[in-house]
Amino acid sequence: GQQVMQIPQYQHVQEGEDFTTYCNSSTTLSNIQWYKQRPGGHPVFLIQLVKSGEVKKQKRLTFQFGEAKKNSSLHITATQTTDVGTYFCAGQRGGSNYKLTFGKGTLLTVNP
Amino acid sequence: DAGVTQSPTHLIKTRGQQVTLRCSPKSGHDTVSWYQQALGQGPQFIFQYYEEEERQRGNFPDRFSGHQFPNYSSELNVNALLLGDSALYLCASSLRGRTEAFFGQGTRLTVV
């Protein structure tokens, strides 16, 4: 079945450093979504990417969708302590396949 | 505008028992999905309900069943609980035709 791999599993940075997490799907996706889950919280939708090669920005966050629509990345510039949490990518195959397949997530910790 | 609400927030059950978890979707949303999230893992898709029908199911045994009501709220039932069913159960709602999922705070189920 469809698999979504995400690396790294953990990342610890000093405040102000950049952070990147990578996501790779075993199958071509119709879209990929990114979620953030704070410790003890629930996943919160960040963004959806649909087009091949798409790049979207949200303030210090930059999201990319690969040309083959099988991989994606999230880059955070100049991390802040408020960025702490687990970042998940979730892929959807589309058509009559409605489920989101999540990666295992990248836990980001930020040292002030 | 209330977001996705789930009840109860925490639950402790004994092996072999049955449990029912409840979810009210975000206002205006008509599609409800259920996910199981084990500690340190990404959410795993259980099933999705739309128009009171199970539209898609993930790789979960028949012990997991659900229901959607005319007001779009939903229940997740788990029979013959196993220790391995201990997890955070997340409900996510979305609008038909839209793929972004909005998650509730989850129900933490502990099976002892």
Side-chain angles (χ1 to χ4, degrees), chain B residues 35-93:
Chain B
Y35 290 81
Q36 180 194 66
Q37 186 177 25
L39 205 59
Q41 301 295 315
Q44 297 291 311
F45 177 80
I46 302 175
F47 40 55
Q48 184 181 88
Y49 276 84
Y50 172 69
E51 290 188 341
E52 301 178 52
E53 297 281 334
E54 182 184 287
R55 182 157 73 168
Q56 188 176 2
R57 188 179 184 91
N59 294 326
F60 280 80
D62 292 343
R63 298 186 298 108
F64 290 77
S65 63
H67 188 79
Q68 186 179 34
F69 299 94
N71 67 353
Y72 308 121
S73 67
S74 178
E75 288 182 349
L76 164 66
N77 301 291
V78 187
N79 294 323
L81 284 167
L82 304 173
L83 296 179
D85 294 331
S86 296
L88 180 66
Y89 287 85
L90 294 161
C91 169
S93 73

Side-chain angles (χ1 to χ4, degrees), chain A residues 35-53:
Chain A
Y35 292 81
K36 177 183 179 181
Q37 187 172 23
R38 293 182 185 274
H42 60 278
V44 174
F45 175 80
L46 294 177
I47 208 160
Q48 176 181 256
L49 304 170
V50 178
K51 299 176 184 176
S52 170

